């Protein structure tokens, strides 16, 4: 019979052995989902009809629905077969089917829904009693994902074509739990549209953003029934805060803030050097890098979009926010190059070492002192090359080098490289460019 009380009231009855609270609560929930009782625990008209049938509430609900759709003659023998299972032979099944038929004949004539053919009416009847047993084809040919979570496997001999509708959905009618696995012994194919008709209020829409294997953020819309995805759409995401968050996390995970390009590395080093000589300039720390990457993500929807940005340029623009052109001040204090007469040399800014330039020794002829930066306050380290491009001297004091180290070094180099010019008086000599291919 159908229970009309709530689970707490049932447990208050004078049971000899009270049933587990979880079992009573589950039974109460099932009756409410089947429509046998309302939210107050009162028996509904459907529940009264179910109570008149010698069946499990699920199958009783199917029998009531079969009568509603006018397919009792076709459905009741199957319901009886499921109810009897393997406990009795054909005689027992036929006897129960006849008993069910006698019961439903006393009800008002079924009205039948327009547009419901036999296949749909049958599926709708099964769904009325097994709405929580909807399953979706998953993985292998016989694997299923169950509503509300869980997995199952089709019984051997039950083919996918027998169990699944064209979209890969079914309602699992008979389940068997064995060796930690759930086996589906009987299933009814269903269409998604039938499920939507049966439980429109249980179907929910969800949307999420996801980064594809191609590095593009997509907006994925899903239609779900009790956790099962019924339909899915994929659209390119629009640039907004949520899209930016997805891109930012992906870019950071890919190491875009740790494996910086050479231009960005050089700019960060130049800013660090300039900050030592101007208190209004702040070093570019991890927080500044993250802020720059986040700003790049705000107008992007893919990794390809991010590739079109220059982190160096973004950092430079951020440095001058607030109306103060600190980027220009960095250029003044930490230039990217210096001139030696007609020769231009790039300035290198290594981490944890002072800035330097490097070139052939002869390029510095005619200079009494080396170039400097930071408004003349920081002499550059000079790496002076021999004709083979190997450093022969590293110094910040070119005048001291000419006076002290160059004379003995000149004698060695002139013997080793006799074809090259080694001036007696380097500060008065003209700089001579050596051929690059030596």
């Amino acid at each position: 019979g159908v229970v009309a009380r709530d689970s707490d009231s049932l447990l208050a009855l004078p049971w000899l052995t009270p049933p587990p609270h979880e079992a009573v609560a589950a039974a109460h929930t099932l009756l409410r989902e089947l429509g046998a009782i309302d939210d107050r625990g009162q028996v509904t008209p459907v529940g009264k009809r179910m109570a008149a049938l010698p069946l499990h509430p699920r199958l009783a609900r199917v029998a009531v629905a079969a009568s509603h759709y006018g397919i009792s003659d076709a459905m009741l023998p199957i319901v009886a077969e499921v109810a009897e299972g393997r406990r009795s032979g054909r005689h027992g099944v036929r006897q129960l089917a006849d008993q069910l038929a006698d019961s439903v004949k006393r009800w008002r004539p079924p009205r039948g829904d327009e547009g419901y053919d036999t296949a749909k009416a049958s599926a709708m009847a099964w769904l009325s009693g097994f709405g929580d047993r909807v399953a979706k084809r998953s993985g292998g040919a016989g694997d299923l994902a169950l509503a509300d979570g869980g997995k199952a496997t089709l019984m051997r001999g039950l083919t996918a074509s027998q169990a699944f509708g064209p979209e890969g959905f079914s309602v699992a009618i008979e389940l068997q739990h064995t060796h930690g696995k759930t086996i589906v012994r009987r299933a009814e194919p269903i269409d998604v549209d039938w499920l939507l008709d049966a439980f429109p209020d249980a179907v929910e829409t969800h949307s999420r953003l996801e980064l594809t294997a191609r590095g593009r953020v997509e907006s994925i819309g899903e239609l779900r029934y009790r956790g099962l995805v019924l339909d899915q759409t994929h659209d390119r995401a629009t640039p907004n805060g949520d899209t930016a968050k997805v891109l930012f996390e992906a870019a950071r995970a890919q190491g875009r803030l740790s494996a910086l390009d050479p231009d960005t590395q050089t700019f960060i080093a130049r800013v660090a050097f300039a900050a030592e000589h101007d208190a209004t300039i702040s070093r570019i720390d991890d927080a500044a890098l993250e802020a720059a990457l986040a700003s790049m993500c705000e107008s992007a929807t893919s990794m390809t979009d991010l590739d079109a940005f220059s982190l160096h340029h973004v950092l430079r623009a951020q440095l001058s926010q607030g109306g103060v052109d600190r980027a220009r001040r960095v250029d003044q204090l930490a230039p990217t190059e210096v001139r030696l007469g007609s020769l231009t040399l790039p300035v290198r800014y290594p981490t944890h070492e002072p800035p330097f330039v490097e070139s052939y020794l002869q390029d510095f002829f005619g200079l009494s002192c080396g170039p400097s930066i930071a408004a003349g306050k920081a002499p550059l380290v000079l790496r002076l090359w021999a004709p083979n491009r190997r450093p022969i001297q590293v110094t910040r004091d070119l005048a001291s080098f000419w006076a002290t180290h160059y004379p003995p070094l000149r004698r060695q180099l002139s013997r080793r490289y006799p074809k090259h010019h080694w001036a007696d008086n380097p500060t008065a000599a003209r700089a001579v460019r050596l051929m690059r291919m030596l």
Side-chain angles (χ1 to χ4, degrees):
V2 176
V3 179
R5 300 177 177 88
D6 60 29
S7 57
D8 291 333
S9 299
L10 288 172
L11 289 173
L13 293 175
W15 297 88
L16 291 177
T17 304
H21 184 277
E22 293 79 7
V24 174
H28 193 268
T29 299
L30 177 61
L31 290 175
R32 191 167 60 248
E33 289 186 353
L34 294 176
I37 58 176
D38 58 23
D39 292 339
R40 298 177 299 169
Q42 301 299 310
V43 181
T44 65
V46 168
K48 292 178 180 178
R49 289 191 173 186
M50 292 170 57
L53 302 176
L55 295 170
H56 184 281
R58 289 184 183 275
L59 293 176
R61 183 66 183 90
V62 174
V64 172
S67 172
H68 170 79
Y69 294 123
I71 56 172
S72 294
D73 291 345
M75 285 289 295
L76 292 182
I78 303 175
V79 170
E81 181 182 338
V82 174
E84 291 297 319
R86 289 167 289 178
R87 294 174 297 177
S88 61
R90 293 182 179 179
H91 177 72
V93 172
R94 188 181 305 113
Q95 186 178 20
L96 177 58
D98 292 341
Q99 184 180 356
L100 296 176
D102 289 339
S103 297
V104 301
K105 284 178 181 178
R106 295 194 292 268
W107 301 341
R108 288 184 303 171
R111 61 178 178 81
D113 286 49
E114 287 188 20
Y116 282 19
D117 57 23
T118 302
K120 181 175 181 179
S122 175
M124 295 288 282
W126 286 117
L127 283 170
S128 68
F130 296 85
D132 58 336
R133 295 268 191 89
V134 174
K136 179 181 180 181
R137 189 171 183 174
S138 173
D143 296 333
L144 304 90
L146 300 175
D148 297 328
K151 298 179 180 179
T153 304
L154 291 181
M155 179 185 68
R156 186 175 299 177
L158 183 60
T159 65
S161 60
Q162 294 173 319
F164 298 113
E167 298 157 302
F169 289 88
S170 68
V171 53
I173 299 168
E174 287 188 72
L175 297 180
Q176 177 183 350
H177 303 283
T178 177
H179 303 297
K181 295 183 178 181
T182 301
I183 307 298
V184 178
R185 298 183 57 82
R186 184 188 292 266
E188 178 78 9
I190 60 172
D191 289 353
V192 169
D193 288 343
W194 302 349
L195 187 60
L196 298 178
D197 289 343
F199 305 107
D201 295 336
V203 177
E204 301 175 333
T205 57
H206 295 262
S207 61
R208 57 188 170 86
L209 296 174
E210 186 176 284
L211 189 71
T212 68
R214 294 184 176 182
R216 186 176 72 177
V217 180
E218 286 190 347
S219 175
I220 301 177
E222 292 181 341
L223 204 62
R224 298 182 190 172
Y225 171 77
R226 302 183 77 140
L228 286 181
V229 178
L230 306 180
D231 190 29
Q232 196 175 74
T233 59
H234 294 256
D235 297 298
R236 183 155 190 167
T238 57
N240 56 40
D242 292 333
T243 302
K245 289 180 182 178
V246 174
L247 275 178
F248 176 80
E249 293 301 329
R252 184 164 60 177
Q254 289 181 1
R256 293 204 176 205
L257 292 179
S258 55
L260 301 175
D261 63 274
D263 287 344
T264 301
Q265 291 179 13
T266 298
F267 184 69
I268 293 174
R270 290 175 59 215
V271 172
F273 176 83
E276 296 176 2
H277 299 272
D278 189 332
T280 67
I281 299 173
S282 299
R283 291 172 177 264
I284 297 175
D285 55 13
D286 291 343
L289 282 173
E290 290 188 355
L293 179 59
S295 69
M296 292 162 57
C297 294
E298 290 175 356
S299 57
T301 61
S302 69
M303 290 299 181
T304 301
D305 291 344
L306 288 184
D307 292 338
F309 289 99
S310 167
L311 183 57
H312 163 216
H313 291 157
V314 174
L315 289 169
R316 185 179 179 88
Q318 287 187 340
L319 197 64
S320 297
Q321 289 178 347
V324 180
D325 195 355
R326 297 183 183 87
R328 183 178 180 183
R329 182 60 176 157
V330 170
D331 292 339
Q332 294 171 345
L333 295 173
T336 58
E337 57 188 24
V338 293
R339 292 192 62 82
L340 300 182
S342 61
L343 177 64
T344 300
L345 296 180
V347 180
R348 312 294 185 185
Y349 293 85
T351 305
H352 307 306
E353 293 182 25
F356 71 90
V357 292
E358 55 186 350
S359 192
Y360 296 103
L361 184 150
Q362 285 89 342
D363 292 336
F364 294 86
F365 284 173
L367 298 177
S368 58
C369 61
S372 60
I373 55 177
K377 297 178 181 179
L380 287 168
V381 172
L382 309 178
R383 297 184 179 182
L384 309 178
W385 294 343
N388 62 358
R389 293 177 64 90
R390 292 183 179 179
I392 55 174
Q393 186 69 31
V394 177
T395 182
R396 263 185 169 176
D397 189 345
L398 186 61
S400 177
F401 167 73
W402 291 139
T404 306
H405 300 287
Y406 177 70
L409 187 61
R410 173 181 175 274
R411 290 191 292 271
Q412 298 175 19
L413 293 173
S414 62
R415 288 194 298 267
R416 186 180 303 174
Y417 302 101
K419 295 183 178 181
H420 295 281
H421 176 60
W422 305 102
D424 293 333
N425 184 0
T427 59
R430 184 172 58 89
V432 179
R433 293 298 292 147
L434 298 181
M435 294 177 61
R436 294 294 180 183
M437 301 300 291
L438 292 176

